[in-house]
């Protein structure tokens, strides 16, 4: 068996982490090498040896004391991903038992690092300034460059890797955020006759405050989101 681990700081409690990990269908699309999740079967495609053409797995989720285990069973072997809280740190361990495990060191290292960082960022969405959010509509107020990324990550958890988030304030200010393939692609702001469009290509899980600095966000917005 080949195993690799990665740790990240998680300034949140176990209950918050459980909310994220208990819905793998929402977080798996943001894991490294992810290709498809359908009918309980997960497909990863890794540009390295045994995964060159992609392999499908059945997923089982096990929950214990301060620990969650994702077990992926496929024809070529078993991939196990363990999430364990150690103090304020999350340790992610990925183990591969099967064909070609000697060559899986680097892919497993990239896998654990990417997963740990994705989970950390989705946990940050608990800081999202959402007042109400039901179905595809909600309200936010006093968004800042610091809290806007959490809002986008919160919506990504619900709508996946392709969506448009729109907001309109009482004074008519219009905000639109487009995400495609898990990347922030466009920010649009319209105030009266003036419209600004900012193009980008930033992975949602790496999104920081920079794209939102200088934008008129400190208002109460009614928002709606839709898949594209």
């Amino acid at each position: 068996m080949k195993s690799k681990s990665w740790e990240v700081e998680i300034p949140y409690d176990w209950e918050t982490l459980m909310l994220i990990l208990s819905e793998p269908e929402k977080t798996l699309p943001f894991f490294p090498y992810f290709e498809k999740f359908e009918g309980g079967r997960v497909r990863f495609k890794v540009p390295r040896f045994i995964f060159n053409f992609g392999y499908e797995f059945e997923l089982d989720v096990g929950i214990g004391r301060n620990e969650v285990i994702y077990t992926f069973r496929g024809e070529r072997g078993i991939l196990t991903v363990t999430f364990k809280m150690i103090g304020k740190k999350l340790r992610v361990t990925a183990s591969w038992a099967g064909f070609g495990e000697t060559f899986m060191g680097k892919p497993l290292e990239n896998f654990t690092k990417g997963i740990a960082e994705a989970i950390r960022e989705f946990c940050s969405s608990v800081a999202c300034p959402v007042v109400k959010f039901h179905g595809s509509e909600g309200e936010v107020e006093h968004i800042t460059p610091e809290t806007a990324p959490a809002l986008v990550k919160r919506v990504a958890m619900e709508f996946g890797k392709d969506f448009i988030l729109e907001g309109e304030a009482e004074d008519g200010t219009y905000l639109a955020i487009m995400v495609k393939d898990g990347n922030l692609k466009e920010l649009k702001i319209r105030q009266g006759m003036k419209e600004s469009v900012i193009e980008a290509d930033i992975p949602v899980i790496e999104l920081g405050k920079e794209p939102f600095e200088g934008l008129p966000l400190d208002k109460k917005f009614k928002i709606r989101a839709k898949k594209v």
Side-chain angles (χ1 to χ4, degrees), residues 9-10 12-14 66 84-90:
E9 293 280 349
I10 299 284
Y12 305 101
D13 56 25
W14 175 245
N66 292 337
K84 188 174 182 63
M85 285 295 291
I86 303 174
K88 287 296 184 179
K89 288 186 176 182
L90 169 66

Side-chain angles (χ1 to χ4, degrees), residues 29-59:
F30 295 89
F31 284 13
Y33 310 133
F34 174 85
E35 188 175 26
K36 184 173 65 174
F37 184 31
E38 186 176 342
R41 295 187 65 84
V42 184
R43 183 177 176 86
F44 292 109
K45 190 172 184 179
V46 182
R48 183 81 176 263
F49 196 53
I50 70 166
F51 289 119
N52 275 348
F53 303 102
Y55 280 79
E56 290 190 355
F57 300 90
E58 294 281 352
L59 171 62

Side-chain angles (χ1 to χ4, degrees), residues 11-30:
Y12 305 101
D13 56 25
W14 175 245
E15 286 71 24
T16 298
L17 186 60
M18 276 293 301
L19 289 175
I20 307 298
L21 296 177
S22 63
E23 298 185 285
E25 68 277 7
K26 295 182 178 180
T27 55
L28 278 173
F30 295 89

Side-chain angles (χ1 to χ4, degrees), residues 76-124:
R76 294 291 184 90
I78 298 176
L79 174 66
T80 304
V81 181
T82 303
F83 305 87
K84 188 174 182 63
M85 285 295 291
I86 303 174
K88 287 296 184 179
K89 288 186 176 182
L90 169 66
R91 176 183 292 170
V92 177
T93 301
S95 301
W96 170 253
F99 179 72
E101 55 189 67
T102 302
F103 301 92
M104 291 302 292
K106 191 61 176 180
L108 284 175
E109 182 178 326
N110 294 337
F111 195 53
T112 54
K113 180 181 179 181
I115 291 173
E117 293 178 350
I119 296 300
R120 177 185 60 194
E121 293 306 312
F122 280 122
C123 282
S124 75

Side-chain angles (χ1 to χ4, degrees), residues 1-227:
M1 179 182 291
K2 198 79 170 181
S3 297
K4 292 288 182 179
S5 297
W6 196 270
E7 292 185 356
V8 292
E9 293 280 349
I10 299 284
Y12 305 101
D13 56 25
W14 175 245
E15 286 71 24
T16 298
L17 186 60
M18 276 293 301
L19 289 175
I20 307 298
L21 296 177
S22 63
E23 298 185 285
E25 68 277 7
K26 295 182 178 180
T27 55
L28 278 173
F30 295 89
F31 284 13
Y33 310 133
F34 174 85
E35 188 175 26
K36 184 173 65 174
F37 184 31
E38 186 176 342
R41 295 187 65 84
V42 184
R43 183 177 176 86
F44 292 109
K45 190 172 184 179
V46 182
R48 183 81 176 263
F49 196 53
I50 70 166
F51 289 119
N52 275 348
F53 303 102
Y55 280 79
E56 290 190 355
F57 300 90
E58 294 281 352
L59 171 62
D60 292 319
V61 179
I63 299 175
R65 183 183 177 89
N66 292 337
E67 184 178 72
V68 174
I69 300 174
Y70 289 179
T71 303
F72 302 88
R73 293 183 172 86
E75 293 182 358
R76 294 291 184 90
I78 298 176
L79 174 66
T80 304
V81 181
T82 303
F83 305 87
K84 188 174 182 63
M85 285 295 291
I86 303 174
K88 287 296 184 179
K89 288 186 176 182
L90 169 66
R91 176 183 292 170
V92 177
T93 301
S95 301
W96 170 253
F99 179 72
E101 55 189 67
T102 302
F103 301 92
M104 291 302 292
K106 191 61 176 180
L108 284 175
E109 182 178 326
N110 294 337
F111 195 53
T112 54
K113 180 181 179 181
I115 291 173
E117 293 178 350
I119 296 300
R120 177 185 60 194
E121 293 306 312
F122 280 122
C123 282
S124 75
S125 68
V126 298
C128 173
V130 170
V131 178
K132 298 177 181 178
F133 195 74
H134 300 289
S136 62
E137 297 185 351
E139 289 185 358
V140 299
E141 60 180 311
H142 304 306
I143 310 172
T144 68
E146 288 76 20
T147 59
L151 172 59
V152 177
K153 292 165 189 173
R154 164 74 181 272
V155 176
M157 279 199 65
E158 299 298 326
F159 287 86
K161 302 178 77 171
D162 300 278
F163 63 88
I164 294 177
L165 174 64
E166 297 177 295
E168 189 168 354
E170 293 180 352
D171 66 357
T173 299
Y174 171 81
L175 166 68
I177 300 171
M178 178 185 291
V179 172
K180 295 189 69 176
D181 296 324
N183 292 348
L184 173 67
K185 291 291 188 179
E186 183 180 278
L187 282 169
K188 182 183 294 184
I189 292 286
R190 185 170 64 240
Q191 289 183 295
M193 300 298 291
K194 183 180 179 181
E195 182 175 283
S196 300
V197 177
I198 302 170
E199 295 184 348
D201 191 19
I202 306 171
V204 166
I205 58 173
E206 297 177 10
L207 194 57
K209 66 179 182 180
E210 291 78 11
F212 304 96
E213 291 181 327
L215 301 182
L217 301 177
D218 193 19
K219 306 173 185 293
K220 184 175 182 177
F221 284 91
K222 287 188 176 181
I223 63 171
R224 56 188 177 274
K226 61 181 179 182
K227 292 185 178 182

